Amino acid sequence: MALLKPPGPRKSGNFAVLGLGLFGTTVARELMRFGNYVIGVDHDEARVTDMADELSRAVIIDVRDDDALREAGIADCETALVAMGDDLESSIIAAINLKTMGVPTVWAKASSKTHHRILSKLKVDRIIHPEVEVGQHIAQVLHNPIVRDYVSLGNGFHVVNFKVPEKLDGVSLRELKHPDYDLRCVGAMRGTEYLGFDGQDCTLKKDDLLILLGRRADLRTFAASLPWP
């Protein structure tokens, strides 16, 4: 059974979310908010009905049925997310179906190391552990209250958003050097105003946001050298 709206553009900007639990619906809603065409799939009629008015297409099918996935238009999507992590069989078969039908990019949620290894063998493009990743993110921010947010870029590099402490009030970005740390100032923000980056002549104020790029060890050492609020 499918609850349909007129089809959107083919391929580019088309997403499929397989599994409409809390994680899947959150991703699907955000993709819709960004203006994408999103197909949501789940075997649970109540979940599909709940999302029918929010998605481009909502389909009630078993994700293990590759013919049903094709009929729903999943093969025409540029990217698909396997969002059911607890149902190991459905997750694995869904990933196989997506790769077999030629969906260019496949992401999948993993619930364990074994699940991760299986998805990796299937050559899923990206495997995610939402609970672990969110937990690490929260721990990083809790560890040092001046850290407002951070993004991992891979290869040991991170972008970290620091709240400027009173110690740096009145210091210009041109003066702000990091002789003991290999860091790069990506920018500074005051509310919604962008102030500048390394070498530019602007003066920091307490509670501005300082965005730094560097390796975790250097960022940690730099953060530890600043007084907590």
Side-chain angles (χ1 to χ4, degrees), residues 69-228:
L69 291 175
R70 290 179 187 278
E71 185 178 347
I74 305 300
D76 296 321
C77 291
E78 180 71 20
T79 304
L81 168 66
V82 181
M84 72 286 291
D86 296 332
D87 187 342
L88 190 63
E89 178 187 350
S90 293
S91 170
I92 293 168
I93 295 177
I96 292 172
N97 286 337
L98 293 170
K99 298 298 285 186
T100 301
M101 66 179 63
V103 174
T105 304
V106 177
W107 287 35
K109 174 184 177 181
S111 57
S112 66
K113 290 183 179 179
T114 300
H115 192 182
H116 185 114
R117 284 196 294 268
I118 294 171
L119 292 171
S120 180
K121 292 292 185 182
L122 296 176
K123 300 190 183 302
V124 167
D125 296 279
R126 182 161 177 176
I127 304 168
I128 49 180
H129 299 261
E131 293 84 359
V132 173
E133 293 172 14
V134 170
Q136 291 173 339
H137 193 104
I138 291 173
Q140 184 79 293
V141 176
L142 286 174
H143 175 68
N144 191 330
I146 69 170
V147 175
R148 286 294 175 264
D149 208 351
Y150 84 100
V151 176
S152 174
L153 301 180
N155 297 321
F157 284 92
H158 299 261
V159 174
V160 176
N161 190 337
F162 290 98
K163 185 177 181 180
V164 172
E166 191 170 355
K167 179 180 179 179
L168 296 182
D169 192 294
V171 175
S172 74
L173 283 179
R174 185 167 291 174
E175 296 175 283
L176 186 62
K177 303 297 181 183
H178 316 293
D180 298 324
Y181 330 106
D182 183 17
L183 300 177
R184 174 74 182 270
C185 178
V186 177
M189 298 287 296
R190 182 171 300 146
T192 58
E193 179 187 0
Y194 180 74
L195 302 178
F197 51 90
D198 266 347
Q200 289 201 327
D201 188 19
C202 68
T203 302
L204 295 172
K205 291 184 179 179
K206 182 177 180 292
D207 295 335
D208 286 347
L209 296 178
L210 184 63
I211 307 167
L212 298 179
L213 166 66
R215 294 186 181 276
R216 178 179 293 179
D218 289 313
L219 290 163
R220 185 185 296 119
T221 305
F222 176 75
S225 72
L226 301 176
W228 290 9

Side-chain angles (χ1 to χ4, degrees), residues 1-2 4 7 10 37 39 41 57 59-62 65-76 101:
M1 175 181 177
L4 306 178
R10 308 290 284 184
Y37 183 86
I39 303 174
V41 171
R57 175 179 289 186
V59 190
I60 305 169
I61 54 174
D62 186 335
D65 186 339
D66 61 337
D67 289 334
L69 291 175
R70 290 179 187 278
E71 185 178 347
I74 305 300
D76 296 321
M101 66 179 63

